[in-house]
Amino acid sequence: MDATDPLYAQVAAHYRQAITAGTMPPGSRMPSVRTLMGLHRVSLSTALQACRLLESQGLLQARQRAGYFVRPPRPTRLARAAEPRQTQADPARFVGVHERISEILTRGIAARPEVNLSGACAHPSLYPTRALALHGQRLLRRRPEILGTQPDPQGLLGLRQALSRLALNAQIQLDPSQLVITHGCTEALSVALRAVTRPGDAVAVESPTYYGLLQLLESLGLRALEIPTSPHTGLSVEALEAAAAQEPRLKAVVVVPNLQNPLGAVMPDAAKQALLASCEARDLALIEDDTYALLCDTPQRAIKSWDTTGRVIFCSSLHKTLAPGMRVGWIAAGRWQPRVEILKYAQSRPNEMLGQAILAEFLAGGQIERHLRALRAKLATQREQMAEALSDELPTGTRLSMPPGGPSLWVELPEGLSSLALFDAALEKGVRLGPGLMYSNSDRFDNFIRINAGNPMDEAQRRAIATLGALCASMLRR
Amino acid sequence: MDATDPLYAQVAAHYRQAITAGTMPPGSRMPSVRTLMGLHRVSLSTALQACRLLESQGLLQARQRAGYFVRPPRPTRLARAAEPRQTQADPARFVGVHERISEILTRGIAARPEVNLSGACAHPSLYPTRALALHGQRLLRRRPEILGTQPDPQGLLGLRQALSRLALNAQIQLDPSQLVITHGCTEALSVALRAVTRPGDAVAVESPTYYGLLQLLESLGLRALEIPTSPHTGLSVEALEAAAAQEPRLKAVVVVPNLQNPLGAVMPDAAKQALLASCEARDLALIEDDTYALLCDTPQRAIKSWDTTGRVIFCSSLHKTLAPGMRVGWIAAGRWQPRVEILKYAQSRPNEMLGQAILAEFLAGGQIERHLRALRAKLATQREQMAEALSDELPTGTRLSMPPGGPSLWVELPEGLSSLALFDAALEKGVRLGPGLMYSNSDRFDNFIRINAGNPMDEAQRRAIATLGALCASMLRR
C-alpha cells in the first residue's frame, strides 16, 4: 500500500491482501459499505469505489441485496493441473528441438493470426510506456550527447542502484557493483551458462521449461537434464538429487522458482532452500531466472536471498514487468562475477546508455510499485476471465493450472488430443497458441498448451477460445 | 559531392578529391581565387570560402602573397611505419591476454586521466547526436508504444533496408532479409565465430589486432593464429597461406580490410581478392569486420562485394561512424545465415526497437553522406595535427603510420622503449594511451602505442604529447 494512492485504492489494497493471504477465504462476506465507512473513516463513495475496484479485479462478487463476497479463486469445472506423471528424470541429452520450435514460431508469425494466445507477456497498454517515453523525450532534449558517448562497461550506475533497491523486494541484498546490465535476461542466462559450463556438460532444467532456454542450451552444445516439475510447487528437488547422482558432468541447475514458465509454479520457501543446499552439496551452480517474480500476486523470496557463498547466479530483466519493448536485463553472478563480466564484455560490449537512462529515471521516480500493483491486479482479473472462458468451452477432462501471478495459463487437454494438431487447425481459423511440444526436449507435453492471459479479455478472445473448444471436440470425435 | 551542399563546399569537394587521388600532388599550386571564380562561375567570397575550408581540413596551406598550395600529406620528420619484421606466423595458440588487457583498461579508467589518447573513436561533438536525439524525441512522442512492443526477430525492416542501401557504398548487394541486427559489431563477430568454430579450433587474425577480438577468442576457447600484417597493405595473404598449411584446425579468418585497427591499413583490392580465393581454396570462413570502412578518405570495396558463394560473413556497425553511444550492429552471414540467426536469437533475443527506429529514420533522411564527408574531413585534419605534434615532440627514431582515414595513429617508439612503462609513467602525469601489448597475444608490440586522433586538437592534447616526448627522452637516457 502506498500513502500516495487514492483513499479507495488504499482501502481496496487492505482487503486484497487479506483475500490473497487467505485471511478472508472464498465465499466469505466482505464488510458492508457502511462498516467500511466507519472502520476506515471514509465517505460512502470511497467505500463503494473500493468494493468496485476489488470486483473489477475479480476478487469480490456482488450478490443482489446481500452485498459483496470473496469470489472463488478459480472456476470449479476444470480440474486443477495434475502433478507430473514422471517422477524421475530421463538421462541428460543434447537438445534437438530448436528446429521444431523455430518452425512453430515462424509459422505462427507468418499466419498473421487474428487472435494470438501464445506469448507470455501482458498487453502493451498495461505498461507505463507513455511515462517511459516522457523520460526518454526529456533525456534526449537535455542530454543528446548520450547518443554519442561510450557507455559504462558494467552498465549505468544509477540503473544498477535502482535495481539493487528493487531486489530488496525479493529480500536480496546486492551492492550495485555486484550487478552487470545485459541485453535482457536471455543474455544474462547466456553468459551465466558460458561461465559455468563447457560444451558437452549437462544442465538441469525444469520440465516443461521455457523454449528459449532449450534453444540456448542447444546453441551452446550443452545437454539438458529435464527434471520433473510440479505445476504448483515447481522443480522436484528429490528428482534432481536422484538424477544428479547419475550424471557426472552435471554443472548447473537453471530454475525459475517464482512463476515458472510455462507452469506458473511458485516453489515453497522450504523447497528453495533445499534446492540451494543440494547445489551446495553437489557443487553445482544455481542459475536463478527471476523474469516473472515481480508479477507474483504476493511477494516471494528469491533463492539468491539465502545465498551466503555466492553460488546463485541471479538473472533478471524488466522485459515482462515494465517494458516489453526494451532489452534491459541484469546479472548478479556471485563467485562467478569476474568471469561473467569478461564474457558479457567480450560477447556484446556494454548496453547502450539511452534505454538504461530511461529506466533509471523511471525507477528513481518511485512509480514502479504502483505500476506493479496495477499490473498484478489486471493480470489476476484476466487470468480469471480466461480460465472461465476455457472452462466454458474446452471439453471435459481438461485441466488447468491457476498460477498465483503472471500472464500464462498451462492447460492439459484430454488424453489423446495433440496440441500440435490443434495448433495447425487453430492457425487456419486465425488463432495462435503455444503447443506443449515447444517446452521440452521430449514429446511428453504434446497434450498441453500454454495460453496467454496477458491481453484484456474481449469478444475476439472469447470467440477464439470457443473455436479451440469446437476444434478439440471434433478432434476427440474422430 | 552533394548538389544540396552549399556552393563553396561543392567547389572544395572537387579539389579535395583531386588532392586525395594524387591528381594534385603535395606542393602543387591551387588555382588562384580569380581562376576559381571563372572556372566554377562563383563569387569571390565563395571561392575564398572553398579555399579556407580546404585549409581548415589540412589539405591546403596559404603562403603569403603566393596563394594556396597543396600541403604535404604527412610530417616529414617521422619515418613511415615499417613493414613487420616477422614474415611468418607463430603457431596458433590459446589467447591469454585478457587479464593484461583488462588490467590496463581498468587502470586507465580508474586513473581518470586529464587527457585520454587511447580509444579509437571520434569526439562526441563530431557526431550528429542532436539530429538523432530529435528523431528519438519525435518517435517517443508519436509512438510511445514502441517501448512496450516486442521487436522483430531479425531487426526492424526499415533499418535493414537503410543498411542495405548503405552497403552499396562498399559495392555490396544485400537483400534486407540477408541481414540481422545485432548489439554492435562485437555481437556480430561473436555469433559469426560461434557459427563457424568449436572450442579448440584456430582462427587467423591480423597481428597486431583489436584487443576486443583477442578477448572474444579467449572467451570462446579459440586459438589465435596471428598473421603478420603491414601497416600499409594489411594482412599478408602469403603468410596466411603458409600458416594455414601447418594448422589443420584452422576454421576462419577475421580481417579488417579497410582501416585495420590499430594499424589503419587498407588492403589493396588485389589482396582482398587473393584472400577470398585463399579462403575458398582452403574452405575457411572469412569474417570481414567493416567497422571503420566508412571512415576511409576515399570509398573502398568490401571483400564481401566479390563474394559469390556466401563465404564472407560481413559484420558492421554504426558505432564509430554515426553514434558511439548506440549499440546497433549487423551481420550478413552468407551461407551461415540460418545458423547465425539461431545463435543471435538464442544469445540475446532481438535488439530493442527504439535505437533501431531512431537510426532508421536518420538514415532514411539521407543525411548520412553529408555527415560522413564532414567527419572524414575533420578526422583527416586531426590526424595531420596529431602527427605534427608527435613529430615535434617524440624522439628521433619514432615511426608513424599515416592511415588513409579513421581516428587512430599507430606509433612505433625507438627500440628499447616499453610502451607499458610509458603507459604507467604517462598515467601518473594524467595522460592515457593504448600500449602496444594490448594488440597481440605475443609481446611483439611493446614498443608501439596507439594514439587517438579522434578529438579536436587543443592545448591540453599538445601538452600531453609534449609530456609523452619528455617521458620517452628520459626513459631513453636511463
Side-chain angles (χ1 to χ4, degrees), chain A residues 147 210 325 327 342 349 352, chain B residues 98 147 210 325 327 349 352:
Chain A
L147 296 180
Y210 171 45
R327 296 297 303 162
I342 290 169
R349 292 284 178 277
E352 65 185 35
Chain B
H98 171 78
L147 297 180
Y210 171 45
R327 297 297 303 162
R349 291 285 178 277
E352 64 184 37

Side-chain angles (χ1 to χ4, degrees), chain B residues 222-243:
Chain B
L222 297 168
R223 288 175 301 134
L225 182 62
E226 293 193 30
I227 307 296
T229 299
S230 153
H232 309 290
T233 56
L235 183 103
S236 161
V237 181
E238 213 170 39
L240 171 68
E241 293 257 313

Side-chain angles (χ1 to χ4, degrees), chain B residues 395-456:
Chain B
T396 318
T398 302
R399 287 165 162 267
L400 183 66
S401 78
M402 269 315 278
S408 298
L409 299 181
W410 183 242
V411 182
E412 182 175 1
L413 301 173
E415 198 85 36
L417 267 180
S418 157
S419 65
L420 202 56
L422 181 63
F423 172 78
D424 284 328
L427 215 50
E428 276 191 25
K429 303 218 176 269
V431 180
R432 184 176 164 199
L433 52 81
L437 283 177
M438 296 175 79
Y439 305 94
S440 170
N441 204 20
S442 75
D443 291 342
R444 197 166 284 144
F445 299 101
D446 188 26
N447 65 320
F448 289 81
I449 55 178
R450 190 183 72 180
I451 294 287
N452 185 21
N455 299 309

Side-chain angles (χ1 to χ4, degrees), chain A residues 23 29 34 86 113 155 161 163 205 210 230-231 276 280 297 385 423:
Chain A
T23 317
R29 192 192 189 114
R34 229 149 261 290
Q86 292 295 110
Q161 284 167 335
L163 293 173
V205 301
Y210 171 45
S230 153
L276 178 56
E280 286 286 1
D297 289 340
Q385 291 169 332
F423 172 78

Side-chain angles (χ1 to χ4, degrees), chain B residues 32 39 48 85 196 249 278 332 358 411 442:
Chain B
S32 73
L39 276 174
L48 261 173
R85 267 165 255 170
V196 299
R249 288 195 65 181
S278 173
I358 290 175
V411 182
S442 75

Side-chain angles (χ1 to χ4, degrees), chain A residues 346-347, chain B residues 182 184-195 210 212-213 216 220 254-256 287-291 313-316 330-331:
Chain A
Q347 179 168 304
Chain B
T182 58
C185 192
T186 300
E187 189 177 62
L189 291 171
S190 161
V191 291
L193 284 167
R194 289 183 61 202
Y210 171 45
L213 178 58
L216 187 53
L220 293 169
V254 182
V255 69
V256 188
I287 302 174
E288 177 171 25
D289 176 345
D290 175 70
T291 306
I313 305 182
F314 183 76
C315 302
S316 194
W330 66 99
I331 183 167

Side-chain angles (χ1 to χ4, degrees), chain A residues 228-273:
Chain A
T229 300
S230 153
H232 310 290
T233 56
L235 183 103
S236 160
V237 181
E238 212 169 41
L240 171 69
E241 292 258 312
Q246 305 296 315
E247 178 46 66
R249 286 196 66 182
L250 183 64
K251 294 293 163 53
V253 181
V254 182
V255 69
V256 188
N258 296 318
L259 296 182
Q260 200 267 358
N261 178 4
L263 295 172
V266 171
M267 288 176 82
D269 281 358
K272 289 173 182 167
Q273 288 170 282

